[in-house]
Amino acid sequence: MQSIHLSAGGAPLLGEPPPIEFANTTFAIRGRLREGLDTTGHLAAWLRDMHHRLAVALTDEDLDGLTGDDLAVAHDLRTTIRAVADAIVHGRAPDADAVAALNGHARRAPRWRELRFDAEPRTGAPRTEIRSHARPVAAALSTLAEEAAELFAGPARPELRICPGPNCVLYFLRGSTRREWCTPDCGNRARAARHYSKTRRPH
């Protein structure tokens, strides 16, 4: 099971694929929904904490240039990812509008992969980097949409779950038949709630 960490913006990080981590920037604390991307600063913090796992490289300058439009796009993308994920975990076909919206986000920033070699080829392996004429943040969000589409259509789809813990709204990939909760802490709270419910029942 994964342990939970918080990004600098306050959103949970579970070690899930980036699109799922992004969906989980809506979360709950003590049963109350929280917004992990309340400001451009929160979005910048999340992208900075995730930079090593994102397909598009982002610099501090890129993140300092975040706009309200970027935040609005991020909110819409997250809502779309969660809508498709919710349908999948409940065994429904996703709403056609949600699928179209996800595909639209994936098309927002045309991009391609380019081959890269270090100045000294013997000291570093060749690699590819995603390039785009769009602003890097726009390309990063668009790539998250593409990765979400690949996840929802790929072999990991049957492993997608929403945590059954009390008031929890986090998604995760099960990965193991023994994994029931988004985190061990959520499982502990669920067991404690069941125990409390049993002890409070009248005899």
Side-chain angles (χ1 to χ4, degrees), residues 76 79-81 83-84 93-105 107:
D76 188 70
T79 298
T80 300
I81 291 174
V84 176
D95 183 80
D97 288 341
V99 173
L102 184 63
N103 292 336
H105 277 285
R107 290 193 301 266

Side-chain angles (χ1 to χ4, degrees), residues 3 5-7 20 35 70 74 86 94 170 197:
S3 59
H5 302 282
L6 293 181
S7 72
I20 302 303
E35 171 58 77
D70 293 322
D86 184 69
L170 299 183
S197 177

Side-chain angles (χ1 to χ4, degrees), residues 42-65:
H42 292 154
L43 177 57
W46 187 87
L47 290 169
R48 185 174 287 111
D49 283 351
M50 289 288 293
H51 79 277
H52 61 291
R53 298 174 56 198
L54 298 176
V56 175
L58 296 173
T59 66
D60 286 340
E61 184 178 359
D62 296 330
L63 297 176
D64 289 341

Side-chain angles (χ1 to χ4, degrees), residues 63-132:
L63 297 176
D64 289 341
L66 276 169
T67 67
D69 286 343
D70 293 322
L71 185 61
V73 169
H75 283 170
D76 188 70
L77 174 58
R78 182 188 60 192
T79 298
T80 300
I81 291 174
R82 288 187 66 89
V84 176
D86 184 69
I88 290 172
V89 299
H90 290 102
R92 304 190 308 266
D95 183 80
D97 288 341
V99 173
L102 184 63
N103 292 336
H105 277 285
R107 290 193 301 266
R108 287 180 69 93
R111 55 210 178 275
W112 61 93
R113 285 190 176 273
E114 289 186 352
L115 183 63
R116 289 283 184 267
F117 282 87
D118 291 334
E120 294 293 334
R122 294 180 181 178
T123 62
R127 65 189 187 281
T128 61
E129 290 181 357
I130 290 181
R131 306 292 291 174
S132 175

Side-chain angles (χ1 to χ4, degrees), residues 41 146 164:
E146 183 179 351

